[in-house]
Amino acid sequence: MKKLSINTEYARRHLFAVLVTFGLALWFAYDGFISYPATPAAELYKIIEKAEATAAVDLEAFKEQKIFSQIGFAALSFIASLTVFLRLLSSFLFKFSYDGKAFVWKGKTYAYSDIKAVDLRLWSKKGIARLTLDDGAKITLDSWHHRSVGFFLESLPSN
């Protein structure tokens, strides 16, 4: 049986995004938990605003707000990193193999005759095909995520 395999370009780009967003999360966390709390408020104001604070500026409130912002940015960056990582992991774990008569998905073998409908509306624009099976299951095959989706579609009897 032939297997759909991960598209290396897709994996490389998404892994890069994971590393960048995780790196940003670490950077923001360092500032929010270590660097900013250790820096005197007047000095932090001077570093961030590139100016001396006037008497009207509440330096402690400024420092507290900047610490809170850095921690928030760390959390958002970490969530972004985790989201992209989980999507990439999902693509790696997606198992789909086929031959001229059947395909295997989620460990179950289906005959081509078990395919109730093939939705190719997004195929020419995005390389996405959706299969609806007789048992109601729906499978989305994305050629950006996996190589050989086109070969599978060509192997279907209706093509």
Side-chain angles (χ1 to χ4, degrees):
M1 290 199 119
K2 298 174 187 170
K3 294 180 181 183
L4 296 186
S5 60
I6 196 81
N7 177 347
T8 52
E9 181 66 17
Y10 162 81
R12 193 177 8 243
R13 287 182 186 204
H14 283 72
L15 185 57
F16 179 75
V18 167
L19 294 174
V20 167
T21 53
F22 187 71
L24 286 170
L26 292 176
W27 186 349
F28 290 132
Y30 177 79
D31 281 350
F33 289 111
I34 297 170
S35 178
Y36 284 18
T39 305
E43 188 179 327
L44 185 63
Y45 184 90
K46 190 175 183 179
I47 291 168
I48 293 172
E49 298 297 325
K50 310 277 190 258
E52 295 291 334
T54 63
V57 176
D58 182 347
L59 291 174
E60 290 306 315
F62 174 84
K63 179 177 177 176
E64 186 177 313
Q65 187 274 329
K66 293 304 176 184
I67 290 170
F68 181 77
S69 294
Q70 292 303 101
I71 293 169
F73 289 145
L76 290 174
S77 297
F78 179 74
I79 290 168
S81 180
L82 183 61
T83 301
V84 176
F85 173 76
L86 291 175
R87 181 64 194 108
L88 183 58
L89 181 62
S90 171
S91 295
F92 268 106
L93 297 177
F94 183 82
K95 302 295 181 210
F96 189 96
S97 55
Y98 64 96
D99 60 19
K101 298 176 185 176
F103 62 94
V104 178
W105 176 63
K106 290 188 174 180
K108 184 176 176 185
T109 301
Y110 294 90
Y112 283 0
S113 60
D114 292 331
I115 300 173
K116 183 171 146 182
V118 179
D119 180 356
L120 296 174
R121 288 179 287 174
L122 296 174
W123 182 251
S124 64
K125 190 182 247 185
K126 297 202 174 238
I128 296 173
R130 292 192 171 104
L131 308 177
T132 303
L133 306 180
D134 286 337
D135 65 5
K138 295 182 186 288
I139 306 170
T140 300
L141 301 174
D142 190 330
S143 63
W144 170 234
H145 299 172
H146 298 94
R147 292 182 283 184
S148 306
V149 172
F151 293 125
F152 166 73
L153 294 175
E154 289 172 5
S155 74
L156 294 175
S158 61
N159 287 342

